[in-house]
């Protein structure tokens, strides 16, 4: 989804003002969240923004002004692309200029993030109806990917299927472990729909929950609710993480809590605001709230939902974690 033409002009004007303040003479963006933020079209090569032009080209060096001293390059730029540009200037991350401009979404963007979140949630709702007993994590991840693509997902950015003791591994990749009755199960999907990103994560039990698992899951849900209530402008972003931490610490699981309680989402799956920082929340910010507890070699639970900040308070864009659901097949 590209911004309306009036919005694109306003974004370019804001980008140029930020460039001037940072002493950046040009931006060179490849297809990426920053590229899409300034109205770049997929398949158009690079977008070059200077003080008076914005053009798409296959040869960005030809559009960078002669004598440019500092050029902001896309943080997703490949090494091959960087070396191929032959730009004789200091190269700095374009995110220093554009990240602050992307923090607050326009109403049409918040609506787009909400649609993405609802589609991600629908994928996991459909996943509950699949046959899990005896399947491998890898096989079920493949089925989730198909469900996401069938929902209109343009790009599946991350999938998680973790069973049993694997749920206690934050970076676990789906493998050959067979899913059995009595397993805890962690499932998530992160993707891009109509240009905007969302992630939803849910936790299940297979046939019956392991001992003490439901009690731990209840703590994670309570932490999620506390974090949601704290996402109220103009509170500092850190207040959300603090609310999550206080609930988990009070439960006795504090040493097993995830290091991060969430991050911003929008055109990218991971962007500002960062919930460990002191910057104030503001209306138009969209967050992925993701409290988690990981008990090594036993089990873990992580829930994730998308939240929007509004003047009236936090708005849950996806439904929020339900009571622990037990899969019966």
């Amino acid at each position: 989804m590209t911004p309306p033409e009036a919005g694109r002009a306003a974004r370019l004007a804001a980008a140029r003002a930020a460039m001037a303040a940072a002493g950046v003479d040009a931006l060179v963006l490849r297809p990426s969240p920053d590229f899409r933020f300034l109205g770049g079209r997929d398949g158009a090569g690079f977008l070059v923004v200077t003080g008076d032009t914005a053009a798409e080209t296959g040869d960005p060096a030809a559009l960078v002004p002669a004598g440019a001293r500092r050029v902001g390059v896309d943080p997703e730029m490949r090494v091959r692309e960087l070396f191929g540009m032959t730009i004789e200037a200091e190269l700095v991350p374009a995110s220093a200029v554009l990240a602050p401009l992307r923090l607050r979404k326009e109403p049409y963007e918040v609506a787009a993030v909400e649609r993405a979140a609802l589609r991600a949630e629908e994928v996991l709702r459909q996943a509950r109806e699949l046959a899990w007993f005896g399947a491998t994590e890898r096989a079920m991840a493949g089925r989730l990917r198909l469900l996401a693509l069938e929902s209109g997902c343009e790009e599946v950015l991350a999938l998680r299927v973790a069973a049993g003791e694997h749920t206690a591994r934050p970076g676990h990749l789906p493998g050959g472990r067979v899913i059995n009755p009595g397993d805890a199960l962690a499932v998530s999907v992160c993707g891009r729909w109509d240009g905007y990103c969302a992630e939803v994560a849910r936790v299940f039990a297979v046939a019956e929950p392991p001992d003490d698992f439901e009690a731990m899951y209840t703590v994670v849900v309570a932490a999620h609710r506390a974090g949601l209530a704290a996402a109220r402008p103009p509170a500092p972003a850190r207040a959300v993480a603090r609310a999550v931490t206080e609930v988990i610490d009070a439960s006795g699981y504090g040493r097993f809590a995830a290091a991060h309680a969430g991050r911003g989402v929008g055109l990218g799956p991971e962007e500002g605001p960062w919930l460990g920082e002191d910057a104030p929340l503001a209306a138009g910010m969209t967050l992925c709230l993701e409290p988690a507890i990981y008990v090594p070699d036993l089990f873990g639970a992580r829930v994730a939902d998308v939240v929007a900040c509004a003047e009236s308070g936090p708005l849950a864009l996806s439904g929020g974690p339900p009571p622990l659901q037990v899969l019966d097949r």
Side-chain angles (χ1 to χ4, degrees):
M1 175 183 292
T2 57
E5 191 57 35
R8 181 173 186 267
R11 288 181 178 183
L12 285 170
R16 288 179 176 125
M19 289 165 60
V24 171
D25 301 300
L27 299 177
V28 177
L29 308 175
R30 71 179 310 278
S32 68
D34 282 340
F35 175 93
R36 290 189 290 274
F37 176 74
L38 292 182
R41 295 174 291 111
D42 288 339
F46 298 89
L47 175 64
V48 179
V49 179
T50 67
D52 53 11
T53 63
E56 295 171 357
T57 178
D59 181 14
L63 297 183
V64 173
R69 292 178 296 175
R70 300 184 81 210
V71 174
V73 296
D74 201 299
E76 296 190 10
M77 194 81 74
R78 301 184 180 98
V79 173
R80 172 175 52 84
E81 293 170 333
L82 282 170
F83 281 102
M85 289 192 302
T86 63
I87 295 174
E88 295 184 3
E90 178 188 3
L91 303 182
V92 298
S95 53
V97 171
L98 296 178
L101 305 182
R102 288 173 48 195
L103 283 173
R104 299 181 67 171
K105 277 64 176 178
E106 297 293 333
Y108 81 89
E109 293 183 281
V110 175
V113 173
E114 180 177 25
R115 289 193 297 272
L118 293 175
R119 292 186 190 181
E121 187 170 36
E122 175 61 15
V123 169
L124 296 190
R125 189 199 66 76
Q126 294 179 45
R128 296 201 305 265
E129 308 303 320
L130 299 175
W132 292 84
F133 292 12
T136 65
E137 295 171 337
R138 186 179 297 112
M140 297 310 293
R143 294 176 190 175
L144 277 181
R145 181 177 295 275
L146 287 176
L147 288 175
L149 294 173
E150 289 170 358
S151 76
C153 184
E154 298 158 3
E155 183 180 6
V156 179
L157 299 166
L159 286 171
R160 187 182 190 214
V161 175
E165 70 284 358
H166 290 174
T167 61
R169 302 176 183 177
H172 177 70
L173 297 177
R177 188 194 188 282
V178 174
I179 299 166
N180 296 306
D183 280 339
L185 187 64
V187 182
S188 67
V189 58
C190 178
R192 180 178 293 112
W193 286 264
D194 296 331
Y196 284 81
C197 300
E199 180 177 11
V200 174
R202 295 288 180 258
V203 174
F204 308 110
V206 183
E208 60 180 354
D211 292 343
D212 300 325
F213 181 71
E214 188 165 9
M216 186 198 70
Y217 173 73
T218 300
V219 173
V220 176
V221 172
H224 181 281
R225 290 173 180 160
L228 174 62
R232 182 178 296 276
R238 188 183 299 276
V240 180
R242 186 184 306 120
V244 167
T245 298
E246 287 174 352
V247 170
I248 297 177
D249 283 350
S251 74
Y253 281 103
R255 64 194 179 102
F256 302 121
H260 305 289
R263 80 281 183 184
V265 292
L267 287 167
E270 296 184 8
E271 58 185 50
W274 305 101
L275 297 188
E277 298 181 347
D278 289 325
L281 297 173
M285 292 182 176
T286 49
L287 319 172
C288 181
L289 180 61
E290 48 181 346
I293 295 173
Y294 301 110
V295 183
D297 302 319
L298 192 58
F299 45 59
R302 170 180 174 265
V303 296
D305 283 281
V306 182
V307 177
C309 297
E311 296 291 353
S312 59
L315 300 173
L317 302 187
S318 47
L324 182 64
Q325 299 175 77
V326 177
L327 305 176
D328 58 6
R329 58 187 178 130

